[in-house]
Amino acid sequence: MSQSLTQDQEIESDLVACQLVIKQILDVIDIIASPEVRDKMSHQLKSIDFSTHPAGADPVTRRAIEKAISLIDLKFTRHDS
């Protein structure tokens, strides 16, 4: 890392790195996990009660959970169909 980045560029770089890692993890899960395990992953996130869970108070965390559910559903629904 020879180039110095601004704080915003570092955050953007972190986000892209996380997206790449998430894609790799989802690809591995797609290969090794049964449909039942994949369904359970999505169901666990969908079962969070935002009215009582601390994540519901933070809109960024809540949106992140919604995105996680969407990513899991998109990845595995398309594959299983």
Side-chain angles (χ1 to χ4, degrees), residues 2-3 16 18 34 36 50 55 81:
S2 59
Q3 186 179 15
V16 171
C18 288
S34 67
E36 294 81 15
F50 288 110
S81 299

Side-chain angles (χ1 to χ4, degrees), residues 24-80:
Q24 292 297 309
I25 291 169
L26 288 174
D27 288 347
V28 169
I29 291 169
D30 191 27
I31 293 169
I32 65 172
S34 67
E36 294 81 15
V37 170
R38 293 183 234 152
D39 289 343
K40 184 175 182 181
M41 290 172 58
S42 178
H43 178 70
Q44 285 176 330
L45 291 173
K46 288 177 182 175
S47 69
I48 295 172
D49 180 2
F50 288 110
S51 65
T52 60
H53 196 279
D58 177 26
V60 174
T61 302
R62 185 174 184 153
R63 182 67 180 132
I65 293 169
E66 291 168 349
K67 285 182 177 183
I69 292 167
S70 295
L71 284 170
I72 291 169
D73 285 348
L74 178 66
K75 173 73 176 180
F76 299 132
T77 302
R78 185 178 27 163
H79 179 271
D80 293 339

